[in-house]
Amino acid sequence: MRIRLLLFFLLFSALAFAENGLTPRGKDRMDALINGDRAEKMAAARELQSIFKPETKIELEKALKAKIESMNKSMPQQLDESTLALGGLVSEGNILIMYQITIPDSEVTPFVKEYLKDYSKTQLINQACTDEGQLIGLLAGLEIRRTYSTPTGKKLFDVDVDLNDCINR
């Protein structure tokens, strides 16, 4: 799916850090964070976070800002028949990606809105919590936020993912 590709490019820098900065033990801990039970995930997250220096988050944010600026040059981008990626930014420890859903305002009932929000949250958790590049960003303290709006600009909802979502997945 194109959304997965979009975030892959955004977080390529984080993945490069993972490949260059993780020892075989670190890679084993990353696997435990992705595939382990809750206790294994918590232990793996603590161990992996201990390898990050305070400047890691700052370096990662700078690299992601550059990737997003490059990505924004090709925006907007149609991702599927009803979703348009508008662009992104990195701000205050958050990776924000903005989307437009091509549903007329008149069709956005509370039920539809809640269904789309739950679906989007589940999709983002499954994506972010199984991708090493995105996990590196989450381990460094970044959060991933997607914000959705209608074609008229009416905000529908935000979905956020942080490391706790991955541990509790």
Side-chain angles (χ1 to χ4, degrees), residues 107-123:
E107 293 180 21
V108 181
T109 65
F111 174 78
V112 168
K113 190 174 177 179
E114 195 60 34
Y115 173 80
L116 288 171
K117 184 176 182 177
D118 290 345
Y119 175 81
S120 298
K121 175 78 173 192
T122 300
Q123 182 188 41

Side-chain angles (χ1 to χ4, degrees), residues 64-89:
L64 289 171
K65 281 181 183 180
K67 291 286 184 191
I68 287 175
E69 286 174 9
S70 174
M71 177 200 75
N72 283 340
K73 292 176 184 173
S74 66
M75 293 296 158
Q77 182 181 13
Q78 192 73 41
L79 301 176
D80 58 37
E81 65 182 42
S82 62
T83 310
L84 182 69
L86 301 174
L89 59 99

